Amino acid sequence: MKEKEQLKKIKEGDRQAFDDFCRDKLPMLLSYAGIFLKNEWAEDVVQDVLFGFWQNRESIDVSQAPRNYLLRSVYNRSLNYLKKEGLAMEYRKWNDARISLLGMEGADPDRNP
């Protein structure tokens, strides 16, 4: 099936056309996301992008190839994921340091009667 026909069907809500579209695009998107993220994270990001594509199917422009849109979406979501994970990691480090400090203060006989 030609891509434009497939996009028209997706826009109309044809789930089979969307499934076929995903099967076609999945290897490329996973490979691209794998440049930025670990495999399990890459899979999550690609699933999010494809789900978003399905949710916004009514606004698909069938005259435009979706490749660039999908790649840009994977790129942006990957960066957002890394940012979110980085902040979570910083918090975990701060929290671990705080717990260690509190444990040391509790063991210090000058600070703990």
Side-chain angles (χ1 to χ4, degrees), residues 10 18-19 21-30 43-57 66 69-70 73-74 77:
I10 292 170
F18 178 69
D19 290 346
F21 177 82
C22 289
R23 263 190 291 285
D24 291 344
K25 303 298 181 195
L26 191 62
M28 171 192 64
L29 296 175
L30 284 174
E43 290 174 10
D44 289 345
V45 164
V46 170
Q47 286 178 1
D48 286 348
V49 166
L50 290 173
F51 182 66
F53 190 77
W54 174 254
Q55 284 184 313
N56 297 315
R57 66 187 174 275
Y69 168 80
L70 292 171
S73 296
V74 167
R77 288 203 188 216

Side-chain angles (χ1 to χ4, degrees), residues 5-105:
E5 285 179 38
Q6 194 176 41
L7 292 174
K8 284 180 186 176
K9 287 185 176 189
I10 292 170
K11 191 171 184 171
E12 295 167 357
D14 185 331
R15 183 57 195 258
Q16 185 60 48
F18 178 69
D19 290 346
D20 294 341
F21 177 82
C22 289
R23 263 190 291 285
D24 291 344
K25 303 298 181 195
L26 191 62
M28 171 192 64
L29 296 175
L30 284 174
S31 178
Y32 186 62
I35 293 171
F36 310 105
L37 304 167
K38 297 177 185 176
N39 284 343
E40 60 272 7
W41 293 356
E43 290 174 10
D44 289 345
V45 164
V46 170
Q47 286 178 1
D48 286 348
V49 166
L50 290 173
F51 182 66
F53 190 77
W54 174 254
Q55 284 184 313
N56 297 315
R57 66 187 174 275
E58 293 163 355
S59 63
I60 293 173
D61 182 358
V62 295
S63 67
Q64 299 287 325
R67 183 178 187 273
N68 291 342
Y69 168 80
L70 292 171
L71 290 174
R72 174 58 64 186
S73 296
V74 167
Y75 175 79
N76 289 335
R77 288 203 188 216
S78 295
L79 292 181
N80 289 341
Y81 199 91
L82 287 170
K83 183 178 177 182
K84 183 179 108 183
E85 285 301 311
L87 291 174
M89 193 178 306
E90 283 181 37
Y91 174 76
R92 281 190 292 268
K93 286 179 184 177
W94 174 84
N95 193 41
D96 290 347
R98 183 75 181 136
I99 289 171
S100 294
L101 180 63
L102 289 173
M104 283 188 254
E105 286 178 358

